[in-house]
Amino acid sequence: MTTIAAPRNAEMTGERTQRRRRSVARPLLYGALVLCALLTMLPFVWVTSGSLRSLDEIRSDPGAWLPQHVTLDNFLRLFQTEGFGRFLVNSIVVAVIVVAGNIVAASAAGYALAKLDFAAKRIAFGAVMAAMMVPFTTVFVTQFVITVDLGLADTLTGIALPGAALPLSVFIMRQYALSVPDELLEAARIDGAGEFRIFFRIFLPLAGPAVATITIMSFLYSWNNFIWPLIVAQSTSSYTLPVGLAATSQAAAHVTDYGLMLAGAIVVMLPVLVLFLFLQRYFVQGISGTGMR
Amino acid sequence: MTATIGPTTPRGARRPRGARRTAVAWLFLAPFALVFLLYTAIPTVAALGFSLTDLRGTDLRHPLAVNFTGIHNYLRLLEDPSFLRDILNTVLFVAVGVPLTMGFGFALALALNSGIRRLRGTFRTVFFAPVVTNVVAVAMIWQYAFNAGGTVNKVLGAIGFAGPNWLDDTHLAMPVVIALGVWRNFGIAMVLFLAGLQAVPQDVYEAASLDGAGRWRQLRHITLPLLMPTTLMVSVLLTVFYLQVFDEPYLLTNGGPLGSTESVALYTYHQFGAGEFGMSSAASFVTLLLVTLVSIVQFRMLRPRA
């Protein structure tokens, strides 16, 4: 009895001191976390309050933290701005091409890399890894020359094509496909099903989560992509939203129309942030699985 | 010929099946392979070729006017004071940005992994939100907040400091650019560290606390050593990111004032914009070289542990 009681007592006192220490540390920890969260949120606070202030108000007191009179005037002016609707439609069209391309190309390639046995497989996988590593600045000059040669300069297809089969998506699909048991595919093979039938009928229906991650990651890539559309789009008719927004703000810079810029910033940010709030799991999986956006 | 050495029938029967399998597999790979060839493989090789020529934007329709110039572009780079300045700027961005990003990411991961329950998901959402936020939009917000009469200076004014015009100051523009980089990326570091922390077996800590090791000693002697692979991976990832930094300086300052925030990637872009495709390619190969070096170091450091 006593021999059992002794360690139990020690354990309990240990627990008690730990609890006491925690009761001091907890509020401190929460305080620090809340402070960090507020600092992180600052830009979102600025953009929300700034976009709701009238141009006159911003001009007379650019640094005020809150609007004196809340107005949607900036958003109204934004949607009346020449070409803005066009930029929005262009961004959506490019995103649709990119997402569709990634689902098709990455599902097929990822499946082959994980589940098929073939010559030069290691080279193919090496190419996927290499493609993730090559800096954009190394390839964009030739990418542009090729785009011009293909007659795709200043077109939405030209903007979408380089991102239509992201190595990141292939990697995500391959990792997922590795977890699908071989027995399932082998059984179908014994039943005489062809490789394409196995892929479409057996593998794809199982690959939902990976397809979801790829959809989100490639949408994020396409919607936020900036340099490449900036290079390819030469006339406002093929500007995507970020390019159009940057151009609008540069045009507005000498008159510093912050109201218009901030309203535009909200329109660009909002779709992705809303998606993120609802589908956070996929964003975090996609990015932490590969460390890339 | 070789078939006569081994048992003939099974091998002969398997071979066409293998070839067919390979053909089918490459059909699956075709869409990706096509885009890869067109937009990664050919451009990388071509960039090396371009960097050895005097190719200009105006030569695209007259390929015969292009001359092979050897390493002339690279020599010009080494003699260009603005390129050397841009290398220093990029190194500064990496040297300050990587530790800051990792520090914030690690501290927040520790805090979120300390057993707290309430608001844990909310905090994670908030800290990860900058990662998915559009950079063009954020850059505008930062310009609005950091202009001479902006919200940041309003706060400084309230506590008695005269705020500068941040983005027009050769000494202050770079810290703002770096801060934007850190803000955008610490969420990635946090999530990767969280994953690493959750992989540390809990009983190691229990054993250590029974031995009387306090929180601090547990962190130093258990968490940090066990987290080493994650730390290395995050540091290499961020270094590779930051060596290519473009969006932040382009959007906030376009490299200014007086080139004080121009990165190597931005130099590459400006050369391209000036029609100097050869010089642009040479500069981009310097980036590729740096990225490759960092990756090799990564593999060297990770291999003995793996």
Side-chain angles (χ1 to χ4, degrees):
Chain A
M1 285 286 277
T2 43
T3 46
I4 297 171
R8 258 187 91 195
N9 258 340
E11 224 171 73
M12 276 169 73
T13 49
E15 225 168 68
R16 210 171 289 153
T17 51
Q18 219 172 28
R19 199 173 291 161
R20 199 177 299 145
R21 199 187 294 158
R22 264 188 196 167
S23 64
V24 184
R26 270 294 152 89
L28 273 178
L29 189 65
Y30 269 105
L33 277 172
V34 168
L35 188 71
C36 287
L38 288 178
L39 278 174
T40 308
M41 295 288 285
L42 264 187
F44 299 116
V45 175
W46 287 330
V47 73
T48 311
S49 85
S51 65
L52 296 174
R53 302 168 67 203
S54 73
L55 195 53
D56 291 337
E57 216 183 293
I58 295 179
R59 290 238 170 92
S60 62
D61 183 6
W65 281 69
L66 290 172
Q68 282 176 310
H69 304 285
V70 173
T71 168
L72 289 176
D73 182 51
N74 294 318
F75 292 92
L76 293 177
R77 286 194 300 129
L78 181 71
F79 283 98
Q80 284 158 6
T81 304
E82 181 80 35
F84 181 79
R86 180 89 229 187
F87 305 156
L88 191 62
V89 171
N90 287 348
S91 262
I92 294 170
V93 171
V94 171
V96 167
I97 301 177
V98 167
V99 169
N102 273 280
I103 292 176
V104 173
S107 304
Y111 170 76
L113 287 173
K115 290 296 173 198
L116 298 180
D117 206 18
F118 58 98
K121 184 171 169 175
R122 290 183 57 146
I123 294 177
F125 185 60
V128 176
M129 300 309 282
M132 285 205 274
M133 295 246 337
V134 174
F136 176 72
T137 51
T138 304
V139 289
F140 80 88
V141 175
T142 320
Q143 287 187 340
F144 177 71
V145 174
I146 288 175
T147 304
V148 172
D149 285 346
L150 291 176
L152 295 174
D154 205 22
T155 66
L156 298 183
T157 316
I159 292 174
L161 211 49
L166 296 169
L168 174 68
S169 308
V170 178
F171 187 76
I172 290 172
M173 186 53 85
R174 173 189 177 265
Q175 297 306 94
Y176 184 83
L178 284 176
S179 72
V180 172
D182 281 325
E183 290 78 14
L184 270 175
L185 313 172
E186 215 43 62
R189 228 162 255 149
I190 289 167
D191 288 346
E195 289 300 332
F196 291 97
R197 211 184 145 81
I198 296 174
F199 172 72
F200 282 111
R201 289 290 169 84
I202 297 178
F203 176 73
L204 265 193
L206 291 172
V211 171
T213 307
I214 288 172
T215 303
I216 288 192
M217 293 303 293
S218 51
F219 174 76
L220 182 69
Y221 160 88
S222 174
W223 191 262
N224 284 349
N225 196 6
F226 174 60
I227 327 179
W228 178 246
L230 178 74
I231 292 167
V232 176
Q234 283 151 357
S235 63
T236 49
S237 64
S238 58
Y239 278 7
T240 59
L241 211 44
V243 178
L245 187 59
T248 310
S249 86
Q250 266 160 20
H254 59 282
V255 288
T256 21
D257 189 347
Y258 283 121
L260 201 64
M261 286 164 61
L262 295 179
I266 291 221
V267 174
V268 175
M269 287 167 25
L270 213 55
V272 174
L273 284 177
V274 170
L275 269 187
F276 170 63
L277 281 182
F278 287 105
L279 303 168
Q280 207 189 131
R281 194 159 57 94
Y282 295 105
F283 281 85
V284 175
Q285 263 171 14
I287 293 171
S288 64
T290 55
M292 290 193 195
R293 271 178 284 205
Chain B
M1 289 283 281
T2 43
T4 51
I5 298 166
T8 335
T9 24
R11 271 210 161 183
R14 210 173 279 168
R15 224 170 245 167
R17 237 178 82 199
R20 204 180 156 265
R21 249 191 209 178
T22 296
V24 168
W26 278 97
L27 263 180
F28 275 103
L29 281 165
F32 169 76
L34 194 68
V35 173
F36 172 78
L37 270 182
L38 210 52
Y39 290 107
T40 303
I42 294 174
T44 309
V45 177
L48 182 60
F50 287 173
S51 75
L52 304 175
T53 69
D54 61 357
L55 179 72
R56 299 184 49 83
T58 47
D59 292 331
L60 287 184
R61 297 219 160 66
H62 318 280
L64 292 178
V66 179
N67 295 310
F68 179 79
T69 56
I71 58 167
H72 180 69
N73 287 329
Y74 292 93
L75 295 178
R76 267 175 75 196
L77 282 181
L78 289 178
E79 282 166 10
D80 184 353
S82 54
F83 182 71
L84 299 178
R85 176 201 61 207
D86 294 351
I87 286 196
L88 285 180
N89 285 341
T90 309
V91 169
L92 181 70
F93 193 94
V94 171
V96 179
V98 171
L100 277 179
T101 311
M102 291 182 71
F104 281 115
F106 181 66
L108 293 171
L110 267 188
L112 293 186
N113 199 50
S114 65
I116 62 165
R117 288 274 156 73
R118 212 171 295 167
L119 292 177
R120 190 171 179 270
T122 312
F123 281 128
R124 207 183 63 165
T125 306
V126 168
F127 295 137
F128 200 74
V131 177
V132 299
T133 307
N134 186 292
V135 65
V136 179
V138 185
M140 280 177 191
I141 303 168
W142 283 54
Q143 282 175 335
Y144 165 72
F146 281 93
N147 79 66
T151 38
V152 171
N153 283 350
K154 189 115 179 168
V155 175
L156 289 178
I159 53 174
F161 288 102
N165 193 352
W166 296 84
L167 295 171
D168 265 343
D169 186 307
T170 48
H171 295 293
L172 295 174
M174 193 53 150
V176 177
V177 170
I178 293 176
L180 178 56
V182 173
W183 183 82
R184 282 186 70 210
N185 289 298
F186 76 83
I188 295 184
M190 180 193 74
V191 166
L192 294 174
F193 276 126
L194 261 177
L197 284 173
Q198 276 154 9
V200 177
Q202 214 51 46
D203 46 350
V204 183
Y205 291 111
E206 274 157 28
S209 76
L210 280 184
D211 287 344
R215 280 273 167 106
W216 178 247
R217 285 185 57 192
Q218 289 181 22
L219 177 70
R220 253 193 73 191
H221 296 288
I222 301 176
T223 312
L224 287 180
L226 283 178
L227 218 55
M228 205 50 195
T230 309
T231 310
L232 262 177
M233 189 255 286
V234 177
S235 66
V236 169
L237 188 84
L238 289 173
T239 306
V240 169
F241 265 5
Y242 286 1
L243 278 174
Q244 305 173 46
V245 61
F246 176 89
D247 292 349
E248 288 89 349
Y250 175 80
L251 289 163
L252 280 182
T253 59
N254 197 13
L258 298 175
S260 60
T261 58
E262 192 175 74
S263 63
V264 174
L266 202 44
Y267 179 94
T268 308
Y269 179 77
H270 285 153
Q271 289 290 337
F272 169 75
E276 291 268 9
F277 287 14
M279 281 293 275
S280 178
S281 296
S284 79
F285 249 78
V286 175
T287 307
L288 181 63
L289 197 73
L290 290 174
V291 168
T292 311
L293 274 177
V294 171
S295 313
I296 290 174
V297 171
Q298 175 203 24
F299 285 123
R300 279 279 156 80
M301 288 171 95
L302 284 178
R303 195 166 289 163
R305 285 165 201 281

